[in-house]
Amino acid sequence: MKLNQVTLAVHDMESSVAFYKKLGLIQIVSDEHYARFSFPEGDASFSIFLDPVKEGVISRGVIYFEHEALEELVERLKSEGIEFDQEPAMKPYLWKEAALRDPSGNEIKLYWAGENRLNPPWKIE
C-alpha cells in the first residue's frame, strides 16, 4: 500500500491556494471548490476543498511536509510573510521541525528527520 494523497478542508480557496504555492507545492488541478497539488519530489499529491462550515474550526489533524534544507525553507517563507508558531527545533523523537498554520487554521509541521523518519533507534524489528 502507498499513500496517494491527503485532502484538507479550507474556508478560503484563494488564500489557501496562494499559501500552499508559497510552501512550494505545484498546483495541478484548479476549481472554485477544489485544488490539487503535486510536490517537487516524490509522487504523492495534496488536495484542499472548500468547506465554508470549517471557518472558525481548527483542525485536529497535523500535516507534515519533509524538507532537507529546513532552516533555509523557513527563512524563505518568513521573508514572504508566512508566520510560524514555532521556529525549527530538535524534538525528542529526533526530528527537527517548525510549526505553522494555513489560512484555515490547519496545523502544519515542516520537518527534516533524515534516516530517523523510517528507522529511529527504537524501531520495532
Side-chain angles (χ1 to χ4, degrees), residues 12-75:
D12 181 320
M13 287 299 291
E14 186 176 333
S15 65
S16 296
V17 166
F19 175 84
Y20 287 106
K21 284 180 167 182
K22 277 186 185 179
L23 288 186
L25 279 67
I26 303 153
Q27 189 173 11
I28 58 174
V29 174
S30 177
D31 181 274
E32 62 186 51
H33 301 288
Y34 177 82
R36 186 179 314 136
F37 303 88
S38 64
F39 293 85
E41 298 176 43
D43 62 357
S45 61
F46 176 79
S47 299
I48 56 176
F49 72 95
L50 184 60
D51 183 6
V53 177
K54 175 102 175 104
E55 190 165 359
V57 176
I58 296 177
S59 169
R60 294 195 57 162
V62 182
I63 301 296
Y64 283 78
F65 293 123
E66 186 174 29
H67 197 280
E68 187 170 3
L70 179 63
E71 287 85 0
E72 291 85 356
L73 174 61
V74 169
E75 288 306 313

Side-chain angles (χ1 to χ4, degrees), residues 70-71 86-98 110-114 116 122:
L70 179 63
E71 287 85 0
Q86 175 198 303
E87 294 290 321
M90 198 61 170
K91 297 297 182 180
Y93 37 90
L94 304 177
W95 295 15
K96 183 175 266 190
E97 65 183 46
L110 302 178
Y111 79 100
W112 177 248
N116 291 316
W122 48 83

